[in-house]
Amino acid sequence: MSKPVKQIHLAAHFPGVNNTTVWSDPAAGSHIDFASFKHFAQTAERAKFDFFFLAEGLRLREQGGQIYDLDVVGRPDTFTVLSALAAVTDRIGLTGTINSTFNEPYEVARQFASLDHLSEGRAAWNVVTSWDAFTGENFRRGGYLAEEDRYDRAQTFLRTAWELFDSWDGYRIEADKESGVFLSDPKAGTFEHRDRHFDIAGRFNVPTSPQERPVIFQAGDSDGGREFAAAASDAIFGRHSQLEPGKAFYADVKGRLAKYGRTHEDLLILPAATFVLGDTDAEAAELAVEVRRAQVSGQTAIKFLEQLWNRDLSAYDPDGPLPEIDPDVSGDSISKGRAADRMYRDRIAAAREYREEAEAKGLSIRELMIEKTSRQSFIGSAETVATQIDELVQADAADGFILVPHITPGGFDVFADTVVPILQERGRFRTEYEGTTLREHLGLAKPRKTPSVAVGSAAAAPAAVSAGTEAVAAGAGR
């Protein structure tokens, strides 16, 4: 019996607070003006994408005590942007990354329920934690929460939010003008949650929204993260966009679903992926080299290397060899709020590996940084890229992809006009939206009211919720 053909899921990631974008390109626009968000989302909706994905940055990152100006700087408030987009789009899902460390369940549940109402059922929440005290300095809670406490709080936060979303279950707004009865039962919205993180009780003041709960995304890759996703998430924002790593990740996570009473269709694996398109494969390959060199200029290469060496390397030639001096492991990190603080647990060992690779391949600092800081996921003509995407999905390396262009906001235009029609002609991607809610776009059933596992249980151990917005950047191929 032949395997059924899978329909491909596609989403548009508005890239910000990272340097995967080439903000210096003449075609690049603002990352703050609403016109950029509007163009990006409407292009994705024109292409019938499942959803628009917005990352979050809670503090400007620094290097050597100064703002890291090679990033795209700034990120307007998530709910403000998504609410505005709800008014200028009709069908595309609206996914926001919201931090559980510095917010409260009531306010976040209220905001997502409101967004789901305003968008008529298109809201989704990418649940993350904050992983560093540097970001925490912007908030009253500061950085005092230990790592394990942040994860435990995040897991409890999600369960509490579910309780609030479900507090209207079974209650209706009658609004009967003749009898004067407004609610079917005055107990609507009643909730109570008391534990070491939250001690709240009252009435949730947003009635059940069209999806009942927003779609839940999670971006963890650890064993605990995979377990949490299998137990409680609707989709994973992953990082494995190549065939073999993708198949291994896909099989592992999907294989965990049965013990929670879930099927393969209950959880979608959606890796982040970049792309470079050309009229021919050869043209795309040449353009891909140009894009990588634009993303990793000489200045950027030195900044990247400083994050490992933890030293000022501005005197070094990016086209020259790596420093002979070892990384500084004696003090604080010079790269505040960046993934390097977690990536380089052993800076001396990592530097040794860098030197060995550079020597073996004859690479300069810049050439090595281009090698080390990711490559494009899909490169080729529209026909080739459509085939690459389809083959990975049909091989169960993914259920679809969250695509990240290197130009904002117009980076999706050529993809929408060339790749999507090919996938549609092949019967792999929708030509029209069949439903109105994001759950319908993703083929997800309405949420169960009782989660299959206590989110704060041992099965959802530390790292069960994404360890911050850097995980998103890593998934995007940083």
Side-chain angles (χ1 to χ4, degrees):
M1 183 176 178
S2 62
K3 180 183 174 183
V5 173
K6 292 169 64 177
Q7 290 293 297
I8 295 169
H9 294 285
L10 294 175
H13 185 298
F14 189 96
V17 294
N18 66 57
N19 45 267
T20 57
T21 56
V22 184
W23 60 259
S24 58
D25 190 289
S30 171
H31 284 241
I32 296 176
D33 289 349
F34 180 65
S36 292
F37 294 103
K38 180 180 177 181
H39 179 96
F40 202 91
Q42 288 184 337
T43 300
E45 184 170 66
R46 172 168 61 83
K48 313 304 178 188
F49 275 27
D50 292 83
F51 59 91
F52 167 97
F53 188 100
L54 187 61
E56 181 180 60
L58 295 179
R59 179 164 180 170
L60 295 179
R61 293 180 285 208
E62 297 180 6
Q63 194 149 323
Q66 298 180 336
I67 291 174
Y68 186 82
D69 60 357
L70 303 179
D71 268 355
V72 172
V73 171
R75 164 66 71 234
D77 174 70
T78 297
F79 284 109
T80 304
V81 172
L82 295 183
S83 296
L85 288 176
V88 296
T89 58
D90 295 312
R91 294 292 184 89
I92 193 166
L94 302 170
T95 303
T97 301
I98 292 294
N99 190 290
S100 63
T101 304
F102 305 119
N103 291 298
E104 297 296 326
Y106 185 90
E107 64 178 345
V108 170
R110 183 168 179 257
Q111 288 167 317
F112 268 116
S114 297
L115 178 62
D116 206 46
H117 276 292
L118 290 175
S119 65
E120 297 182 304
R122 297 185 281 140
W125 175 16
N126 182 42
V127 185
V128 300
T129 73
S130 177
W131 58 270
D132 68 320
F134 173 75
T135 299
E137 290 173 357
N138 273 353
F139 297 88
R140 64 178 175 82
R141 193 169 287 107
Y144 77 84
L145 282 179
E147 184 175 11
E148 62 273 12
D149 290 335
R150 290 196 295 273
Y151 292 128
D152 185 59
R153 175 186 166 88
Q155 294 153 10
T156 307
F157 191 112
L158 181 56
R159 171 174 284 280
T160 308
W162 279 340
E163 293 171 5
L164 293 166
F165 292 133
D166 297 347
S167 65
W168 277 77
D169 188 37
Y171 301 106
R172 299 184 310 279
I173 297 178
E174 299 286 354
D176 188 327
K177 296 180 180 180
E178 292 186 6
S179 67
V181 175
F182 188 72
L183 294 175
S184 63
D185 192 305
K187 293 193 288 292
T190 302
F191 69 88
E192 181 176 357
H193 185 105
R194 304 189 190 280
D195 60 31
R196 75 187 190 94
H197 291 290
F198 309 112
D199 185 1
I200 57 176
R203 298 291 180 89
F204 189 56
N205 65 352
V206 184
T208 302
S209 68
Q211 293 187 117
E212 299 183 8
R213 296 177 189 168
V215 172
I216 299 297
F217 282 78
Q218 185 260 351
D221 193 36
S222 67
D223 185 72
R226 297 178 187 205
E227 199 69 27
F228 176 66
S233 298
D234 297 308
I236 297 181
F237 182 21
R239 59 183 301 177
H240 304 290
S241 60
Q242 303 301 317
L243 180 62
E244 293 307 322
K247 288 176 65 175
F249 181 81
Y250 190 99
D252 178 76
V253 177
K254 296 270 188 171
R256 302 174 189 235
L257 291 166
K259 62 184 172 183
Y260 300 111
R262 307 181 74 193
T263 69
H264 277 214
E265 292 72 31
D266 291 333
L267 176 69
L268 298 176
I269 311 295
L270 303 173
T274 55
F275 60 91
V276 178
L277 290 164
D279 290 337
T280 66
D281 290 353
E283 180 182 293
E286 290 179 6
L287 179 58
V289 172
E290 293 177 16
V291 170
R292 289 301 297 132
R293 290 186 65 81
Q295 290 172 324
V296 188
S297 65
Q299 181 186 10
T300 302
I302 293 296
K303 291 291 189 181
F304 277 156
L305 198 65
E306 285 180 344
Q307 293 165 21
L308 167 54
W309 252 256
N310 207 31
R311 296 179 182 275
D312 179 356
L313 301 177
S314 58
Y316 283 82
D317 181 0
D319 295 317
L322 270 67
E324 294 183 1
I325 188 173
D326 282 336
D328 180 5
V329 296
S330 62
D332 291 339
S333 170
I334 68 168
S335 52
K336 298 292 188 181
R338 301 194 65 84
D341 292 345
R342 291 174 294 130
M343 288 170 55
Y344 302 125
R345 301 296 188 184
D346 187 339
R347 294 181 184 272
I348 300 298
R352 185 184 310 118
E353 292 177 7
Y354 272 38
R355 289 195 185 104
E356 290 172 354
E357 181 172 347
E359 182 177 349
K361 297 180 179 180
L363 302 177
S364 66
I365 291 174
R366 185 182 184 190
E367 290 167 337
L368 180 65
M369 290 299 99
I370 289 175
E371 286 278 316
K372 287 293 189 182
T373 58
S374 82
R375 302 172 181 83
Q376 292 86 0
S377 305
F378 303 119
I379 301 172
S381 66
E383 190 82 25
T384 295
V385 169
T387 298
Q388 292 171 343
I389 290 173
D390 188 32
E391 288 179 346
L392 287 172
V393 171
Q394 303 309 325
D396 286 342
D399 291 310
F401 293 93
I402 299 176
L403 296 166
V404 191
H406 61 273
I407 297 295
T408 302
F412 268 119
D413 293 9
V414 65
F415 191 99
D417 294 334
T418 61
V419 178
V420 169
I422 294 171
L423 293 174
Q424 291 171 330
E425 289 170 6
R426 296 179 183 180
R428 301 297 200 262
F429 190 67
R430 67 172 66 89
T431 56
E432 295 293 340
Y433 290 108
E434 296 181 1
T436 59
T437 70
L438 178 55
R439 286 189 178 275
E440 289 174 311
H441 302 343
L442 297 173
L444 297 170
K446 286 194 174 183
R448 289 175 295 175
K449 295 306 179 184
T450 303
S452 55
V453 65
V455 181
S457 73
V465 179
S466 165
T469 52
E470 287 287 353
V472 174
R478 281 283 301 268

